[in-house]
Amino acid sequence: MIHRIYIAKEHAGEQQLKQEIQLVKGKGISGDRNYNESEWNGQNLTLIELEEIDRFNKSFNQHITDSATRRNLITHGIRLNQLVGKTFTINDVKLLGVELCEPCAWLGEQLEKDGLSRKDIVKALVGRAGLRVDIHSDGKIRVGDEIENIADANV
């Protein structure tokens, strides 16, 4: 299920909480900083599991918010790593799970706090920081929508 939705209008800009977003095939989220800026596959949309954010916070006695991860969709109740190489839909929008959205040094720097270095943060989030997705049809996604129709991609 889609737990929360975020966009940012510019790089490193404030994450804006949305109830609904418009997705455009091959371009991304209308109004987001990465709209029509795709330099590589999987740059249209990013997802992360709420469960992984909670796990990180519990493991490191932290209180990072879901928006601090800089992902567009915060999911609940689905293992995103299993969607790599799969097609799926959210509210009839066709999507392709391209690759894991591994943590970068910039994210580590943003989450760095006393007693927890950026290196430790990146290491802790490898394989757990979400999914990069290509958008294969236009449509809207809303908070509460389900991830459905999971199938192997015909790539």
Side-chain angles (χ1 to χ4, degrees):
M1 176 185 75
I2 305 305
H3 178 71
R4 288 208 177 93
I5 300 172
Y6 293 98
I7 68 167
K9 299 218 181 250
E10 57 192 39
H11 176 73
E14 181 182 343
Q15 291 282 87
Q16 299 173 4
L17 184 63
K18 299 289 185 179
Q19 291 300 306
E20 175 181 280
I21 52 174
Q22 177 69 43
L23 302 181
V24 180
K25 179 181 177 179
K27 293 188 177 192
I29 304 168
S30 181
D32 186 68
R33 69 191 179 279
N34 287 322
Y35 184 79
N36 206 24
E37 295 292 327
S38 296
E39 297 177 28
W40 59 84
N41 290 339
Q43 197 173 354
N44 289 165
L45 184 67
T46 58
L47 295 76
I48 190 169
E49 299 168 30
L50 179 62
E51 294 87 350
E52 289 296 347
I53 298 167
D54 291 344
R55 181 203 58 82
F56 177 86
N57 282 336
K58 185 179 274 186
S59 295
F60 294 95
N61 195 27
Q62 296 296 307
H63 302 285
I64 66 166
T65 63
D66 51 17
S67 67
T69 65
R70 307 297 296 178
R71 305 301 184 247
N72 303 120
L73 303 180
I74 311 302
T75 66
H76 177 68
I78 188 160
R79 300 299 301 171
L80 296 175
N81 288 14
Q82 296 173 1
L83 297 180
V84 173
K86 306 280 186 185
T87 60
F88 56 97
T89 61
I90 303 174
N91 196 26
D92 294 327
V93 178
K94 189 174 180 182
L95 305 164
L96 171 65
V98 174
E99 64 186 3
L100 296 183
C101 189
E102 296 294 10
C104 61
W106 186 86
L107 179 63
E109 182 180 327
Q110 298 306 303
L111 299 178
E112 186 173 36
K113 294 184 179 184
D114 292 337
L116 192 58
S117 73
R118 68 185 77 173
K119 181 180 175 184
D120 292 335
I121 292 165
V122 169
K123 185 177 178 182
L125 291 174
V126 168
R128 301 173 177 270
L131 180 69
R132 292 186 177 279
V133 172
D134 279 345
I135 300 168
H136 284 213
S137 68
D138 297 348
K140 292 183 179 184
I141 290 179
R142 297 170 187 85
V143 170
D145 286 347
E146 297 289 339
I147 295 174
E148 302 176 308
N149 304 315
I150 300 167
D152 288 331
N154 295 328
V155 181

